[in-house]
Amino acid sequence: MNSFCLITTTCPDEQNAKSIIHLLLEQKLAACIQMQAVQSFYHWEGKLCESCEQLLLIKTRSSLFQKIEALILKHHPYTTPQIIQLPIEQGLKAYLQWIEEETT
């Protein structure tokens, strides 16, 4: 298993996104989180939907995925939020070391 990963989730608004961001950083579950406005298009409960959301890009250690998932589920208003883990195959050694230091 890779040591580092990028976890993505989307939030319905900036307030919810910042709340989750602050919790993750305060609990040292992430080293850095970027937030970006996105438009999402999807099927939900038989309907075609379009939403303006905030995409979170969470840089962390792979071993913290379950804790991050639990935190997001606890504080997220969606019934089924996007929570996806992507492995970081390579990266600047100093940056990856910084992620490790910030999440321990």
Side-chain angles (χ1 to χ4, degrees), residues 88-101:
I88 296 175
E89 297 292 333
Q90 294 185 35
L92 179 66
K93 186 177 179 179
Y95 186 80
L96 298 178
Q97 182 177 353
W98 174 75
I99 291 175
E100 186 168 2
E101 291 168 0

Side-chain angles (χ1 to χ4, degrees), residues 5-9 29 56-62 64-66 68-69 72 82-86:
C5 67
L6 177 72
I7 297 174
T8 68
T9 192
L29 294 175
L56 302 185
L57 302 174
I58 304 163
K59 274 79 85 180
T60 189
R61 291 184 291 129
S62 301
L64 296 174
F65 177 80
Q66 290 178 340
I68 292 169
E69 179 183 54
I72 291 170
Q82 167 192 307
I83 304 173
I84 298 172
Q85 179 182 9
L86 303 167

